[in-house]
Structures are given as C-alpha cells and as structure tokens.
Amino acid sequence: MDGKAEPMASHGARGRSGGRPTLEEVAARAGVGRGTVSRVINGSPRVSDATRAAVEAAVAELGYVPNTAARALAANRTDAIALVVPEPETRFFAEPYFSDMLKGVGAELSETEMQLLLIFAGSDRERRRLAQYLAAHRVDGVLLVSVHADDPLPDLLSQLDIPAVISGPRSAGETLPSVDSDNYGGARQAVEHLLSRGRRRVAHITGRLDVYGAQRRIDGYRDALSDAGHGVDEALIEQGDFSEEGGSRAMAALLERRPDLDAVFAASDVTAAGARQALREAGRRIPDDVALVGYDDSAIARHLDPPLTSVRQPIEEMGRRMIDLLLTEVADRRPLASRGLDRRQVVLATELVPRSSS
C-alpha cells in the first residue's frame, strides 16, 4: 500500500484491516486524533473548519459509515421515536387524519437516523404494556396523537422524563409541547361560509368533547353565530365522536329535534359522511335542502357525492412540525421539569375549501 487509498464512497468500502473502515483509520487519514473525528461526526461546533473538512474528506475517501448503535449506546440514546395512538386500531385505519399525520411524521424523520415505532394504546391492557415499555426507556421520545383530556400518558411521560410532543393541547393550560391547527378559526370559517350562503339554522355535530380541539370548534361555531347577530340554539348542537356512525346518529337526532335545520357543520369529514347518509335516508337533498360542511379536507371530502366543502387543516405539516419539536426536546439534556418556560405551542392556520355540498 503506497499510503494513498483509492477513493471509495460505497458502504462496502474496506479499511486496512480488510473489514469496514474504522474510526482510527479515518483519524490517521485526516491526521487528527480519534476524539476529533468523533466530534466531527457528531456535529460538535468545537472543531475548526479546516479540521472538519479534512475529516469529512477522509470519511468520503475511506467510505466510513458510523456505527450508529454504538454511538446511541454511548450517548444513552436508542435512536428510536414512538408514535403513540391511544385509540383502537380500527379507528386509526378508518380515519384519514391518522394516515396523513403518519405520512408527515415519516417524511420528516426520514431525514434523520431515527427509527419510528407505531404503538396503539386503545385498551387498558395495551396501556399497561406501553407503560412498562416506556419505563424501560426504549425510545428517546414520544409523539402522542389524539390525546383526550383524562389521558394519563402525558403525565406518565413527564414522570419518566421522556420528551414528548402531542398533536393538540389537552387544555388551554397545556404544559407539553404541542402542534395543532386553528380549530377555533376553522370552525368560524365554516359557519361564516354557511351564513354567507343564506343559511340561518346551522346545526353542529361535535367531536368528542374530551378533546380540546373539539371544544374549540364548538367555541368557534357559537361565536360565529353570535357575532353575525344570530342566537345560539342549543337544540341545533348534537354530540358526535368524529366517527361515521356517530355522525349518522347525531344527524338523525338533529332532524328529529329540529327538522327545519338548513345547514350542518360537522367536526370531521368522516362525521360529515355519516351525516350525509342520514340526510339522504330522510329524503333531504344536499345542498338544496341542507348544506353540509366538514373538517380536515381529507380524500373523503373530494370523493363524496356531492363533493364536500371542508376546512383544510395541514395535517402532514403538523406531523413534520411535531418531529421538529420532539428532536429539539430530545437534544436538550436538561431535565424536563426545568424546561417549562421553553415549551412551545404551535398553531397552524386552516383554510376553507368550498365545494358543491354547500
């Protein structure tokens, strides 16, 4: 060997030992110490530009691939993130919200070396098993999607000192980092749109009321009516649960109680699909007799007949922002209890997408 190896950029490159290139061989090629190479690979700022360039050139020439497992062990890291859904699997696969969220999370995480674990915790047994798994610190952080007000998981994560980000706060006083859409503003957009089309008896099928986002949508609905000079008729509000079956049941109850209603704002597109079915079974034409607006602007909205007017929330972007926040939390070595003032609550804008249903 003449001291100058052929450049090798593939993962199959061989070092002097005949195996994979080692950290020591990179250090020798760059003319620096092993610790300096480690700092460059781990992104430490305590390295000069010239030294960084020399190490990066040596890495490229030798085709060195860092041993991520060893690095994670040394840093007391697992290089794994858990996406926890405290709902039954059936709901996860039935509602586009979850798949869109997963798509955004996966896209952002693909730019890192982190692995993503999808964990369902919709039953007491699954929650106990999850608690044991988390207590063993097998993940670096957790994304919580579809969190209810009484969910014990966020408090468990805080007790275990595991960084977490949730998709929507549990209340106005949320202490965990969260990413959400403007539920209040989106609901106002929906109701103002219906009022602008001459509708006057606007009903609302809510989501689960132990979800803060559903509460904010009711607030937006009420305020839009009040600000337009219309009273809020409680008989026009019926509780749903974000499901198609819940939307159908709620719509039937509304029609029985207020058969003169002329518009419906549903808390999700899936709920709107159920409401549409109940309206058709009752002989009501959409939008001639009853205008209908959903929420999410999912594929369901585009494929309904007639196509559904819906409030678009940027679900994939919410997933990406959740990952950004979580990786920042994971990189922060301070105990969670000391980070209270740094916690961030991200709220993304919504947009009404008018279609034929209204």
Side-chain angles (χ1 to χ4, degrees), residues 34-325:
R34 186 179 186 281
T36 300
V37 174
S38 180
R39 283 193 290 276
V40 170
I41 291 173
N42 286 288
S44 172
R46 297 186 296 113
V47 181
S48 70
D49 291 341
T51 298
R52 187 182 306 280
V55 171
E56 290 174 348
V59 166
E61 290 172 7
L62 290 175
Y64 173 74
V65 179
N67 186 334
T68 55
R71 283 168 54 195
L73 183 63
N76 194 28
R77 292 262 300 273
T78 65
D79 279 348
I81 295 296
L83 175 63
V84 176
V85 183
E87 301 283 357
E89 291 182 43
T90 51
R91 186 183 171 202
F92 179 89
F93 291 108
E95 297 186 25
Y97 174 89
F98 294 107
S99 58
D100 289 346
M101 178 69 71
L102 182 59
K103 190 183 301 182
V105 167
E108 191 69 14
L109 207 56
S110 68
E111 303 297 321
T112 75
E113 294 178 349
M114 292 284 205
Q115 298 297 313
L116 179 65
L117 307 176
L118 176 60
I119 301 176
F120 297 101
S123 68
D124 291 339
R125 180 183 177 186
E126 289 173 334
R127 287 170 182 270
R128 288 194 297 270
R129 190 164 53 197
L130 174 61
Q132 294 172 351
Y133 185 83
L134 294 175
H137 288 269
R138 293 178 178 173
V139 295
D140 293 325
V142 172
L143 300 172
L144 275 173
V145 180
S146 187
V147 182
H148 304 285
D150 59 350
D151 197 319
L153 286 175
D155 293 333
L156 172 64
L157 292 167
S158 295
Q159 292 169 12
L160 295 173
D161 209 43
I162 297 176
V165 176
I166 58 179
S167 64
R170 291 166 290 174
S171 68
E174 182 58 70
T175 56
L176 286 176
S178 70
V179 178
D180 203 1
S181 71
D182 182 5
N183 292 289
Y184 175 85
R188 285 193 64 113
Q189 288 176 309
V191 176
E192 288 168 356
H193 167 75
L194 289 168
L195 293 175
S196 73
R197 296 297 177 94
R199 308 294 170 152
R200 291 296 176 264
R201 294 172 297 281
V202 181
H204 178 41
I205 301 176
T206 77
R208 288 187 54 164
L209 296 185
D210 59 349
V211 174
Y212 185 61
Q215 298 171 25
R216 294 299 289 152
R217 290 176 198 178
I218 295 177
D219 293 340
Y221 163 83
R222 292 177 184 277
D223 287 354
L225 289 172
S226 297
D227 291 349
H230 298 277
V232 178
D233 183 350
E234 297 298 325
L236 286 170
I237 301 175
E238 183 67 22
Q239 184 173 342
D241 58 5
F242 293 116
S243 73
E244 184 173 358
E245 295 79 6
S248 181
R249 288 193 301 269
M251 191 69 253
L254 284 166
L255 286 172
E256 182 175 353
R257 191 164 62 238
R258 286 298 306 270
D260 60 336
L261 63 84
D262 61 6
V264 179
F265 165 47
S268 74
D269 291 345
V270 176
T271 295
R276 167 187 167 276
Q277 183 61 31
L279 285 167
R280 288 198 162 181
E281 290 175 357
R284 304 300 177 91
R285 297 169 300 167
I286 302 171
D288 305 68
D289 301 323
V290 180
L292 183 61
V293 175
Y295 201 104
D296 287 336
D297 191 37
S298 63
I300 290 174
R302 297 186 292 276
H303 295 152
L304 282 182
D305 179 24
L308 180 68
T309 296
S310 186
V311 178
R312 175 181 296 161
Q313 56 174 339
I315 301 172
E316 287 188 38
E317 176 64 17
M318 289 164 63
R320 289 192 287 268
R321 295 292 289 274
M322 286 180 72
I323 283 292
D324 287 343
L325 273 181

